[in-house]
Coordinates of all heavy atoms in Angstrom, one line a residue:
A1 N -19.0 -27.4 8.9 CA -19.0 -27.6 7.4 C -18.6 -29.1 7.2 O -17.8 -29.6 8.0 CB -18.2 -26.6 6.7
P2 N -19.0 -29.6 6.0 CA -18.5 -30.9 5.6 C -17.0 -30.9 5.5 O -16.4 -29.9 5.1 CB -19.2 -31.2 4.3 CG -20.3 -30.2 4.2 CD -20.0 -29.0 5.1
Q3 N -16.4 -32.1 5.7 CA -14.9 -32.2 5.7 C -14.4 -31.8 4.3 O -13.3 -31.1 4.3 CB -14.5 -33.7 5.9 CG -13.1 -33.9 6.1 CD -12.5 -33.2 7.3 OE1 -13.2 -32.9 8.3 NE2 -11.2 -32.8 7.2
K4 N -15.1 -32.1 3.2 CA -14.6 -31.7 1.9 C -14.5 -30.2 1.8 O -13.5 -29.6 1.2 CB -15.5 -32.2 0.8 CG -15.1 -32.0 -0.6 CD -16.0 -32.6 -1.6 CE -15.4 -32.2 -3.0 NZ -16.3 -32.6 -4.1
D5 N -15.5 -29.4 2.3 CA -15.4 -28.0 2.3 C -14.3 -27.4 3.1 O -13.6 -26.5 2.7 CB -16.8 -27.4 2.8 CG -17.9 -27.7 1.8 OD1 -17.7 -28.0 0.7 OD2 -19.1 -27.5 2.3
K6 N -14.1 -28.0 4.3 CA -13.0 -27.6 5.1 C -11.6 -27.8 4.4 O -10.7 -27.0 4.5 CB -13.0 -28.4 6.4 CG -14.1 -28.0 7.4 CD -14.0 -28.8 8.7 CE -15.0 -28.3 9.7 NZ -14.8 -29.0 11.0
E7 N -11.5 -29.0 3.7 CA -10.2 -29.3 3.0 C -10.0 -28.2 1.9 O -8.8 -27.8 1.7 CB -10.3 -30.7 2.5 CG -10.1 -31.7 3.6 CD -10.3 -33.2 3.1 OE1 -10.4 -33.3 1.8 OE2 -10.3 -34.1 3.9
E8 N -11.0 -27.9 1.2 CA -10.9 -26.8 0.2 C -10.4 -25.5 0.7 O -9.6 -24.8 0.2 CB -12.2 -26.7 -0.6 CG -12.5 -27.9 -1.5 CD -13.9 -27.8 -2.2 OE1 -14.5 -26.7 -2.1 OE2 -14.3 -28.8 -2.8
Q9 N -11.1 -25.1 1.8 CA -10.7 -23.9 2.5 C -9.3 -23.9 3.0 O -8.5 -22.9 2.9 CB -11.7 -23.6 3.6 CG -13.1 -23.2 3.2 CD -14.1 -23.1 4.3 OE1 -13.9 -23.8 5.4 NE2 -15.1 -22.3 4.1
L10 N -8.9 -25.0 3.6 CA -7.5 -25.2 4.1 C -6.5 -25.1 3.0 O -5.4 -24.6 3.2 CB -7.4 -26.5 4.9 CG -8.1 -26.4 6.3 CD1 -8.1 -27.8 6.9 CD2 -7.5 -25.4 7.2
S11 N -6.9 -25.7 1.8 CA -5.9 -25.6 0.7 C -5.7 -24.2 0.2 O -4.5 -23.9 -0.1 CB -6.3 -26.6 -0.4 OG -7.4 -26.0 -1.1
V12 N -6.7 -23.4 0.3 CA -6.5 -22.0 0.0 C -5.6 -21.3 1.0 O -4.7 -20.5 0.6 CB -7.9 -21.2 -0.1 CG1 -7.7 -19.7 -0.2 CG2 -8.7 -21.8 -1.3
I13 N -5.8 -21.6 2.3 CA -5.0 -21.0 3.3 C -3.5 -21.5 3.2 O -2.6 -20.8 3.4 CB -5.5 -21.3 4.7 CG1 -6.9 -20.6 4.9 CG2 -4.6 -20.9 5.8 CD1 -7.7 -21.1 6.1
E14 N -3.4 -22.8 2.8 CA -2.0 -23.4 2.6 C -1.3 -22.6 1.5 O -0.1 -22.3 1.7 CB -2.1 -24.8 2.3 CG -0.8 -25.5 2.1 CD -0.9 -27.0 1.8 OE1 -2.0 -27.5 1.4 OE2 0.2 -27.6 1.9
A15 N -2.0 -22.3 0.5 CA -1.4 -21.5 -0.6 C -0.9 -20.1 -0.1 O 0.2 -19.7 -0.5 CB -2.3 -21.4 -1.8
S16 N -1.7 -19.5 0.7 CA -1.3 -18.2 1.2 C -0.1 -18.3 2.2 O 0.7 -17.5 2.2 CB -2.5 -17.4 1.8 OG -2.9 -18.0 3.0
I17 N -0.1 -19.4 3.0 CA 1.0 -19.6 3.9 C 2.3 -19.9 3.1 O 3.4 -19.4 3.4 CB 0.7 -20.8 4.9 CG1 -0.4 -20.3 5.9 CG2 2.0 -21.2 5.6 CD1 -0.9 -21.4 6.7
N18 N 2.2 -20.6 2.0 CA 3.4 -20.8 1.1 C 3.9 -19.5 0.6 O 5.1 -19.3 0.5 CB 3.0 -21.8 0.0 CG 2.9 -23.2 0.5 OD1 3.5 -23.6 1.6 ND2 2.2 -24.0 -0.2
K19 N 3.0 -18.6 0.2 CA 3.4 -17.3 -0.3 C 4.1 -16.5 0.8 O 5.1 -15.8 0.6 CB 2.2 -16.5 -0.8 CG 2.5 -15.2 -1.4 CD 1.3 -14.6 -2.1 CE 1.7 -13.3 -2.8 NZ 1.2 -12.1 -2.3
I20 N 3.6 -16.6 2.1 CA 4.2 -15.9 3.2 C 5.6 -16.5 3.4 O 6.6 -15.7 3.6 CB 3.3 -16.1 4.5 CG1 2.0 -15.3 4.3 CG2 4.1 -15.6 5.7 CD1 1.0 -15.7 5.4
I21 N 5.7 -17.8 3.4 CA 7.1 -18.4 3.6 C 8.0 -17.9 2.5 O 9.2 -17.6 2.8 CB 6.9 -19.9 3.6 CG1 6.2 -20.4 4.8 CG2 8.3 -20.6 3.4 CD1 5.7 -21.8 4.8
S22 N 7.5 -17.8 1.3 CA 8.4 -17.3 0.2 C 8.8 -15.9 0.5 O 10.0 -15.5 0.2 CB 7.6 -17.4 -1.1 OG 8.3 -16.8 -2.2
E23 N 7.9 -15.1 1.0 CA 8.3 -13.7 1.2 C 9.3 -13.6 2.4 O 10.1 -12.7 2.4 CB 7.0 -12.8 1.5 CG 6.6 -12.1 0.3 CD 5.7 -10.9 0.5 OE1 6.2 -9.9 1.1 OE2 4.5 -11.0 0.2
V24 N 9.1 -14.5 3.4 CA 10.1 -14.5 4.5 C 11.5 -14.8 4.0 O 12.5 -14.2 4.3 CB 9.7 -15.5 5.6 CG1 10.8 -15.8 6.6 CG2 8.4 -15.0 6.3
S25 N 11.5 -15.7 3.0 CA 12.8 -16.1 2.4 C 13.4 -14.9 1.6 O 14.6 -14.6 1.7 CB 12.6 -17.3 1.5 OG 13.8 -17.6 0.8
E26 N 12.5 -14.2 0.9 CA 12.9 -13.0 0.1 C 13.4 -11.9 1.1 O 14.4 -11.2 0.8 CB 11.8 -12.5 -0.7 CG 11.5 -13.4 -1.9 CD 10.2 -13.1 -2.6 OE1 9.4 -12.3 -2.1 OE2 10.0 -13.6 -3.7
L27 N 12.7 -11.8 2.2 CA 13.1 -10.7 3.2 C 14.5 -11.1 3.8 O 15.3 -10.2 4.0 CB 12.1 -10.6 4.2 CG 12.3 -9.4 5.2 CD1 12.4 -8.1 4.5 CD2 11.2 -9.4 6.3
A28 N 14.7 -12.3 4.0 CA 16.0 -12.8 4.6 C 17.1 -12.5 3.5 O 18.2 -12.0 3.9 CB 16.0 -14.2 4.9
H29 N 16.9 -12.7 2.3 CA 17.8 -12.4 1.2 C 18.1 -10.9 1.1 O 19.2 -10.5 1.0 CB 17.3 -13.0 -0.1 CG 18.2 -12.7 -1.3 ND1 19.4 -13.3 -1.5 CD2 18.1 -11.8 -2.3 CE1 20.0 -12.9 -2.6 NE2 19.2 -12.0 -3.1
Y30 N 17.0 -10.1 1.2 CA 17.1 -8.7 1.2 C 18.0 -8.2 2.3 O 18.8 -7.3 2.1 CB 15.6 -8.1 1.3 CG 15.6 -6.6 1.6 CD1 15.5 -5.7 0.6 CD2 15.5 -6.2 2.9 CE1 15.4 -4.3 0.9 CE2 15.4 -4.8 3.2 CZ 15.4 -3.9 2.2 OH 15.3 -2.6 2.5
T31 N 17.8 -8.7 3.5 CA 18.5 -8.3 4.7 C 20.0 -8.6 4.5 O 20.9 -7.8 4.8 CB 17.9 -9.0 5.9 OG1 16.6 -8.6 6.0 CG2 18.7 -8.6 7.2
R32 N 20.3 -9.8 4.0 CA 21.7 -10.2 3.9 C 22.4 -9.3 2.8 O 23.5 -8.9 3.0 CB 21.8 -11.7 3.4 CG 21.6 -12.7 4.6 CD 22.0 -14.1 4.1 NE 21.2 -14.6 3.0 CZ 20.0 -15.1 3.0 NH1 19.4 -15.3 4.2 NH2 19.4 -15.5 1.9
L33 N 21.7 -9.1 1.7 CA 22.3 -8.3 0.6 C 22.6 -6.9 1.1 O 23.6 -6.3 0.8 CB 21.3 -8.3 -0.6 CG 21.9 -8.1 -1.9 CD1 23.1 -9.0 -2.3 CD2 20.8 -8.3 -3.0
N34 N 21.6 -6.3 1.8 CA 21.8 -4.9 2.3 C 22.9 -4.9 3.4 O 23.7 -4.0 3.4 CB 20.5 -4.4 2.9 CG 19.6 -3.8 1.8 OD1 20.0 -2.8 1.1 ND2 18.5 -4.5 1.5
F35 N 22.9 -5.9 4.3 CA 23.9 -5.9 5.3 C 25.3 -6.0 4.7 O 26.2 -5.2 5.1 CB 23.7 -7.1 6.2 CG 24.7 -7.2 7.3 CD1 24.6 -6.5 8.5 CD2 25.8 -8.1 7.2 CE1 25.5 -6.6 9.5 CE2 26.7 -8.2 8.2 CZ 26.6 -7.4 9.4
T36 N 25.5 -6.8 3.7 CA 26.7 -6.9 3.0 C 27.1 -5.5 2.3 O 28.2 -5.1 2.4 CB 26.7 -8.0 1.9 OG1 26.4 -9.2 2.5 CG2 28.0 -8.1 1.1
G37 N 26.1 -4.9 1.7 CA 26.3 -3.6 1.1 C 26.8 -2.6 2.1 O 27.7 -1.8 1.8
F38 N 26.2 -2.5 3.3 CA 26.6 -1.6 4.3 C 28.1 -1.9 4.8 O 28.9 -1.0 4.9 CB 25.7 -1.5 5.5 CG 24.4 -0.8 5.2 CD1 23.2 -1.5 5.2 CD2 24.4 0.6 5.0 CE1 22.0 -0.8 4.9 CE2 23.3 1.3 4.7 CZ 22.1 0.6 4.6
I39 N 28.4 -3.1 5.0 CA 29.7 -3.5 5.4 C 30.7 -3.1 4.3 O 31.8 -2.5 4.6 CB 29.8 -5.0 5.7 CG1 28.9 -5.4 6.9 CG2 31.3 -5.5 5.9 CD1 29.2 -4.8 8.2
K40 N 30.4 -3.4 3.1 CA 31.3 -3.1 2.0 C 31.5 -1.6 1.8 O 32.6 -1.1 1.5 CB 30.9 -3.7 0.7 CG 31.1 -5.2 0.7 CD 30.9 -5.9 -0.6 CE 31.3 -7.3 -0.6 NZ 32.8 -7.5 -0.6
I41 N 30.4 -0.8 1.9 CA 30.6 0.7 1.7 C 31.3 1.3 2.8 O 32.1 2.2 2.6 CB 29.2 1.3 1.4 CG1 29.4 2.7 0.7 CG2 28.4 1.6 2.7 CD1 29.9 2.6 -0.7
V42 N 31.2 0.8 4.0 CA 32.0 1.4 5.2 C 33.4 1.0 5.0 O 34.3 1.8 5.2 CB 31.4 0.9 6.5 CG1 32.4 1.2 7.6 CG2 30.1 1.5 6.8

């Protein structure tokens, strides 16, 4: 495909990768919050 088409497709993938990175961060926060909760309840 022409370079311009490839760049457009890659920008769509980049947006999905950014969403994945955001969810990884949210999952890390979820894990820390729950870990703290278990330590505190024990």
Side-chain angles (χ1 to χ4, degrees):
Q3 189 63 28
K4 184 178 179 186
D5 292 345
K6 287 183 176 185
E7 288 173 5
E8 288 175 8
Q9 292 172 331
L10 287 172
S11 71
V12 170
I13 295 170
E14 183 181 12
S16 70
I17 290 172
N18 287 337
K19 187 175 186 245
I20 294 167
I21 291 168
S22 175
E23 265 200 69
V24 167
S25 177
E26 290 170 345
L27 186 58
H29 179 72
Y30 167 88
T31 301
R32 283 190 304 273
L33 206 52
N34 278 291
F35 181 80
T36 301
F38 284 113
I39 297 300
K40 288 192 172 286
I41 202 65
V42 167

